[in-house]
Amino acid sequence: MLISQILDEAETIRVVARNGGKTRIINGARSVYSLAMEAARTGTGLVALIERKGFGEAVDLDAAYKKGRLLSPINHPDPAHLHLTGTGLTHLGSAATRDSMHKKLSSDGEEQLTDSMKMFRMGLEGGKPAKGQTGVQPEWFYKGNGTMAVAPGAALLSPAFAQDAGEEPEVAGIYVIGDDGVPFRVGFTLSNEFSDHVTERVNYLFLAHSKLRNASFGPEILIGDLPSDVRGSSRILRDGQLLWEKPFLSGEANMSHTIANLEHHHFKYSAFRQPGDVHVHMFGTATLSFADGVRTEAGDVFEIEARDFGLPLRNPLEIEQPVKVAVKAL
């Protein structure tokens, strides 16, 4: 089942679902967040809760997308309680891209093993532990709170000071925290983990700076298990023409970590188990247009799609105006 959120003509949020047929409004669902919290509080499976509520009128989801009426597939009434985070070096093809960005040479000219390659090897050796065991922790980063989340179809804003504005096609897990502090997974969605790869390339210690950017996810959430072999496409359009395109792979068959291991190492921190919070946790990628020498421009459109996730995720690129910030003493 796929679920998403739209604004109707009266500017009211409607939660919609489809399961191989028409997209229909879920009766009595005020938001995906409220629906997920109700499922957590009642101990009811999300699909079962949706089916119990029943379905109303059909909607044209693609038309709503074109009209700009698709919302992020989950949000929080207080954006400060939605956390955008992610992991890197988790996919079997991800090390080559990162390693080329972080190469360093010894005094005699021979390449040393970079920190990114060391971490990638740690994942290969210990990212898929036996059941009941804890695997090696991945690279982890913070992207911001809900104020940085951009709806499908809306513009990803790159700061004026950024050195690059590049896409990262990823699968993200969507989670809510129950009243007792237990994390509940709502499902999985496509995401664009928008980053500044030039800044990161200067020094891997700038990774934190390079990740503090907008992110977009959706349009639809896949409820249930993540397919083991996710195959999709990432592309960039410029002036309506295809500028760049490449397939991307995800799912555990193409990863050096299990989803459970990545989830454990995120939610092991009590700060990420605060009742009522929402988490959008991105699992990494091995496909970047930056690695192929592409330099994006304002007006370019990023498009990420994979068959299992419904409609593609599209976002145009905009560059913010420079802002001067001065701190005032109280």
Side-chain angles (χ1 to χ4, degrees), residues 39 50 168 218 237 277 280:
I50 291 170
E168 294 202 16
L237 305 175
D277 280 5
V280 180

Side-chain angles (χ1 to χ4, degrees), residues 72-84:
S72 296
I74 193 169
N75 46 29
H76 192 285
D78 179 356
H81 287 276
L82 187 151
H83 307 276
L84 296 171

Side-chain angles (χ1 to χ4, degrees), residues 177-233:
I177 309 302
D179 296 334
D180 54 359
V182 173
F184 289 89
R185 188 193 312 117
V186 179
F188 299 94
T189 187
L190 295 175
S191 67
N192 188 340
E193 197 270 286
F194 187 58
S195 300
D196 182 345
H197 302 104
V198 172
T199 293
E200 181 188 347
R201 186 175 59 181
V202 172
N203 190 304
Y204 76 95
L205 294 175
F206 283 163
L207 177 71
H209 290 282
S210 75
K211 296 298 186 182
L212 285 170
R213 300 288 187 274
N214 282 166
S216 187
F217 54 95
E220 303 178 78
I221 298 174
L222 173 66
I223 300 175
D225 294 332
L226 180 68
S228 62
D229 185 19
V230 174
R231 295 176 180 264
S233 295

Side-chain angles (χ1 to χ4, degrees), residues 54 112 147 156 227 301 303 310:
Q112 298 177 353
T147 63
L156 291 162
V301 176
E303 186 172 276

Side-chain angles (χ1 to χ4, degrees), residues 19 23 31 90 110 116 142-143 194 216 232 235 305:
N19 194 6
T23 304
S31 67
T90 53
E110 292 184 0
S116 57
Y142 175 72
K143 288 195 64 66
F194 187 58
S216 187
R235 62 183 65 93
E305 66 177 343

